[in-house]
Amino acid sequence: LMPISRVTGSPGHESGSVVIDVSHGDPFAVPVRHPLPSRPGRKWSAPIGVDDAGRTIAVDLRRHTLVAGMTGAGKSNAVQALLLSALPHLERGNLRLVLIDRKGGVELGMWADHADLVDIGDNGDKGTTDLLAAVVADINRRLDIMRGAGVRDWDVKFGPRWLVVIDEAAVIRDQIARDLLRDAALRGRAAGVSLVVALQHPVKETIDRSTVLQLDQRIGMRVKDRAASRHVVDGDEPDLTSLEFGGHFYLLGGRKPRRGRVFNVEDDMLPTAHPVKGSHTASHETATDSDLTGQCPVNAQPNDTPIDPEGGPQYVGAPARPLSGAVSPDIAAGWTGTAGLILGALDRTWRPIAAVRLDIDISERTWRTHARRLEEAGLIERDGTSVRLTPTAMGLDVGGDDH
């Protein structure tokens, strides 16, 4: 008889049932079902698996994370386990999600309804470049808020954190997109923007080495050769080529490497997949052609955030650049609230819808509601991915009732 090395229990599929897993010999022989936490992890921890003693191994959602491994190593399962553990933060609104899945949504498409920005690669590198430009513009805005508040690290009292998940970053060939990714890696963490980057072939030719170095929390899985292992580990040990396939990993970036196996994530644990198309700003609706993002200005200027001397900075979704002031005062007086913010962020130049949404910090659902009203009133015009004021909104043909 072989000695029992581990006994684990998990809820069964039937009501009131329990599944008991008994592992002989190899403590990682039987994968452990994801526990599906109902509350956010302490100090932004996100459990991804267990070690050989059955203890939970978690990543820190505030840090940049590299997930590296060859086909079959378990990268996709590791990313899904991380997202499932981050789900309570997403549902409470203190974390927002950005997804880049260049496999057409196969890996991350089921999370589109939980994300604010999504690129599934239909537009090639252009969609990825546009999305990363919007992220960098928001980093600029956040850093300006922090400067005004006199703080060095982002606090959720200013607004939610961002989690940017990129599946197979090696296919990003456009140099502008790679530069934007490096910029987000270098400056994003302090501003509350964290990256999760998955790579199949973690060698120098995939993404810039300076970007990889910023991804200091690493889930190292089975890789093709020792060169790839050294690239991930930044040394000779541990040797990732010695790991088994199917979710075995080392978590690197702490005091010492921790070996474990990723939680088993079954399809019924994941959000229901909805069809997504191209690069778009997502909400709890199916995407349409009008969701596709346009080009976001890389050099968007940060705003001058008002500071309340009594209570510190007020995070009210202040724009990433000053309001244009182009809208007619008579028109502006009749449109208050969110519709007024939209008008105030526009002028006669075409602006990407994604950038406008980030400027005034509104959801896609809210944007659609108010943009439809403004368009029906003849105050804005849209061209698929972009939006601008009409002459009427600028007072060249003033009319209409108070809204």
Side-chain angles (χ1 to χ4, degrees):
L1 295 176
M2 293 182 63
I4 294 174
S5 62
R6 187 178 67 195
V7 178
T8 60
S10 60
H13 289 286
E14 301 296 330
S15 176
S17 65
V18 176
V19 176
I20 304 297
D21 291 323
V22 179
S23 178
H24 297 275
D26 181 3
F28 297 124
V30 179
V32 177
R33 183 180 168 92
H34 197 290
L36 299 176
S38 59
R39 292 185 297 178
R42 182 174 177 268
K43 294 184 177 179
W44 293 92
S45 66
I48 59 168
V50 294
D51 64 13
D52 57 3
R55 294 170 299 201
T56 298
I57 298 178
V59 297
D60 186 341
L61 293 174
R62 297 169 297 185
R63 298 174 64 181
H64 296 322
T65 303
L66 173 67
V67 185
M70 60 192 299
T71 300
K75 286 193 317 299
S76 297
N77 210 52
V79 172
Q80 296 291 357
L82 187 154
L83 286 171
L84 279 174
S85 292
L87 185 56
H89 286 289
L90 294 170
E91 291 176 336
R92 293 194 178 195
N94 55 5
L95 183 68
R96 295 169 73 174
L97 190 60
V98 176
L99 302 174
I100 298 176
D101 179 357
R102 298 296 294 273
K103 296 179 184 176
V106 171
E107 300 294 346
L108 301 175
M110 68 287 294
W111 290 95
D113 281 356
H114 290 276
D116 285 81
L117 298 172
V118 178
D119 167 38
I120 64 167
D122 281 2
N123 296 325
D125 276 345
K126 182 182 184 303
T128 303
T129 301
D130 294 346
L131 188 149
L132 289 173
V135 170
V136 169
D138 198 57
I139 289 173
N140 290 336
R141 179 182 65 83
R142 287 165 171 254
L143 291 173
D144 190 62
I145 290 173
M146 292 163 58
R147 282 191 291 270
V151 299
R152 298 176 61 186
D153 292 298
W154 186 258
D155 192 302
V156 291
K157 70 181 180 182
F158 302 143
R161 300 182 62 86
W162 284 98
L163 186 66
V164 182
V165 183
I166 306 174
D167 182 73
E168 199 47 63
V171 300
I172 302 175
R173 301 296 184 184
D174 181 72
Q175 190 58 50
I176 295 176
R178 289 166 64 134
D179 289 345
L180 289 165
L181 179 59
R182 182 178 65 247
D183 192 5
L186 288 168
R187 302 189 299 129
R189 180 175 172 180
V193 178
S194 302
L195 306 179
V196 176
V197 178
L199 282 176
Q200 184 176 127
H201 302 292
V203 293
K204 293 182 180 179
E205 290 75 17
T206 55
I207 60 175
D208 299 338
R209 184 62 176 165
S210 58
T211 302
V212 173
L213 290 174
Q214 296 300 317
L215 309 174
D216 60 342
Q217 181 175 241
R218 301 180 183 180
I219 303 171
M221 313 187 90
R222 176 72 177 261
V223 293
K224 184 177 181 179
D225 51 39
R226 290 297 300 272
S229 177
R230 286 191 290 269
H231 193 75
V232 176
V233 175
D234 281 334
D236 291 327
E237 298 296 335
D239 178 12
L240 301 183
T241 64
S242 66
L243 291 172
E244 298 292 330
F245 289 97
H248 296 253
F249 70 94
Y250 279 103
L251 180 62
L252 310 160
R255 286 174 292 182
K256 61 179 182 179
R258 294 188 66 188
R259 184 174 179 176
R261 186 168 185 180
V262 173
F263 287 128
N264 184 39
V265 177
E266 299 176 6
D267 289 344
D268 61 359
M269 299 178 180
L270 298 174
T272 302
H274 291 275
V276 290
K277 182 177 181 179
S279 306
H280 67 280
T281 52
S283 71
H284 301 282
E285 302 174 359
T286 301
T288 66
D289 288 345
S290 64
D291 294 325
L292 306 181
T293 58
Q295 185 176 0
C296 177
V298 177
N299 60 344
Q301 296 299 309
N303 65 292
D304 295 322
T305 305
I307 303 297
D308 180 352
E310 299 295 327
Q314 303 301 299
Y315 181 81
V316 292
R321 61 181 185 177
L323 298 180
S324 68
V327 65
S328 161
D330 291 336
I331 295 294
W335 294 82
T336 58
T338 301
L341 288 174
I342 293 173
L343 290 174
L346 299 175
D347 51 32
R348 277 295 286 169
T349 60
W350 289 104
R351 291 205 62 205
I353 292 172
V356 175
R357 281 193 51 231
L358 284 174
D359 279 359
I360 58 179
D361 194 30
I362 59 174
S363 70
E364 172 66 15
R365 186 184 298 273
T366 301
W367 158 259
R368 287 183 179 182
T369 298
H370 293 283
R372 186 180 299 114
R373 293 173 57 222
L374 290 168
E375 195 168 36
E376 289 173 352
L379 300 180
I380 65 171
E381 53 187 340
R382 290 184 281 182
D383 181 22
T385 66
S386 303
V387 61
R388 67 178 181 179
L389 292 178
T390 64
T392 297
M394 300 175 69
L396 303 180
D397 182 21
V398 179
D401 301 325
D402 184 272
H403 297 269

